[in-house]
Amino acid sequence: MSLSEEVLEYSTFKRMKDDLLEDHSKSAMKLFQSEFLITFEAVRPTNCNLANFLASEEVLVPDENLPGYFNLSSPLVRWLLLQQIIPKLFSTSPQAEVSYNPFTGTLDILKALKQVVCVFDKEIIKSCNSFKLARVLVNNANNREVPRESVYDAELYRIMSNWLGRFTVMGQWHLKYRASGHINNKYVDIVIARSDHPTIAFKLLASATKKELKEHYKRALIYDKKLSANETWVVHFTCEENAISVPC
């Protein structure tokens, strides 16, 4: 049993888990998924009744200073819902079987990523509250609003958790290592593991500049070395209009 599963069996969280996994909670969890999951800022929900239901389950709390706005109750609750509730309520996965390399038997991660992206919930990505201003050209203009990394992170995690049954998918893997006499604490966005050993690591970006990409390529090499993972990937979700014709 994973740590998040154990936490949800604790009496403080068990009622919340049981209630949220009921079919009648799907609308409220859809609201949470699109408006609260990917931001820690106060949000004015599009449906106050559903937000009040989530507040009664202690998922959200009304903002004391902004009437009509709600906040996440805690990062722990967000983590529990992302890992244990949302994948079960919204169990999307590619129709195809998981692909493996015929020579090594390892997961064919490039093919898997292509299949997973095809079943992303596009409405969630379009309607989410987590936007940033792009520093690359989007729709022939600068400073367009585009989804942040956290939007893609949540969708990738949700679908891979449902689909990769032979593996454990974990988010925010804590990587601690010493370099130049200092202790470094880093968090790898998504790790696919087997028997608690990190097998494949992902560093995600969203509509990044070439400078940011190059910095993350260097960071990925550190992750690869310190994690002893079989593979380390930089996955770039971008709205930049010339990203394919002029790749980095």
Side-chain angles (χ1 to χ4, degrees):
M1 180 181 289
S2 68
L3 177 60
S4 57
E5 288 173 322
E6 289 189 35
V7 170
L8 281 174
E9 290 306 311
Y10 188 64
S11 57
T12 305
F13 298 102
K14 192 174 186 309
R15 180 184 63 83
M16 178 182 71
K17 179 198 74 171
D18 292 343
D19 287 349
L20 294 180
L21 285 176
E22 294 288 339
D23 284 342
H24 66 76
S25 299
K26 274 193 170 182
S27 297
M29 286 305 300
K30 196 74 172 178
L31 179 83
F32 175 82
Q33 191 183 10
S34 61
E35 299 185 15
F36 292 93
L37 176 64
I38 32 63
T39 182
F40 288 95
E41 299 173 0
V43 173
R44 186 180 185 89
T46 54
N47 189 314
C48 285
N49 289 333
L50 294 178
N52 282 321
F53 168 76
L54 292 171
S56 72
E57 296 291 340
E58 300 183 61
V59 172
L60 304 178
V61 290
D63 193 285
E64 295 180 354
N65 302 312
L66 295 169
Y69 284 72
F70 292 79
N71 293 286
L72 286 168
S73 60
S74 75
L76 173 61
V77 168
R78 177 193 180 277
W79 175 67
L80 292 172
L81 268 58
L82 175 61
Q83 290 208 334
Q84 297 297 330
I85 304 298
I86 289 174
K88 293 175 182 175
L89 273 180
F90 307 106
S91 54
T92 311
S93 63
Q95 295 299 308
E97 293 293 324
V98 179
S99 298
Y100 295 92
N101 187 305
F103 302 104
T104 64
T106 57
L107 181 64
D108 186 339
I109 195 61
L110 182 58
K111 188 171 183 180
L113 282 170
K114 290 178 180 179
Q115 291 170 312
V116 167
V117 168
C118 287
V119 293
F120 271 14
D121 188 328
K122 298 176 182 63
E123 292 305 313
I124 289 290
I125 292 173
K126 287 193 296 184
S127 66
C128 70
N129 284 324
S130 186
F131 288 100
K132 69 174 187 177
L133 296 180
R135 292 191 290 169
V136 294
L137 204 62
V138 176
N139 293 335
N140 205 33
N142 291 307
N143 297 318
R144 296 277 194 185
E145 282 194 341
V146 294
R148 291 182 192 168
E149 172 195 314
S150 56
V151 178
Y152 301 108
D153 189 351
E155 271 298 275
L156 191 62
Y157 179 89
R158 176 180 71 87
I159 296 169
M160 282 189 161
S161 297
N162 288 324
W163 192 41
L164 302 180
R166 290 169 54 182
F167 297 87
T168 302
V169 182
M170 289 166 281
Q172 296 296 298
W173 179 287
H174 184 201
L175 176 61
K176 186 176 181 180
Y177 62 92
R178 180 179 291 275
S180 304
H182 300 284
I183 297 296
N184 291 269
N185 289 281
K186 302 294 184 183
Y187 293 88
V188 185
D189 293 321
I190 295 178
V191 167
I192 298 175
R194 209 178 236 177
S195 301
D196 293 329
H197 176 73
T199 302
I200 302 167
F202 296 98
K203 185 72 189 87
L204 308 184
L205 294 94
S207 299
T209 63
K210 286 181 170 57
K211 180 182 177 182
E212 291 168 334
L213 277 168
K214 290 175 181 178
E215 290 172 352
H216 281 74
Y217 293 153
K218 293 178 182 177
R219 198 175 303 171
L221 294 175
I222 296 173
Y223 293 170
D224 186 69
K225 181 178 178 181
K226 301 300 181 181
L227 274 172
S228 298
N230 296 352
E231 299 178 46
T232 301
W233 289 75
V234 175
V235 184
H236 183 207
F237 297 98
T238 184
C239 299
E240 184 180 5
E241 56 193 45
N242 64 347
I244 294 175
S245 59
V246 188
C248 179

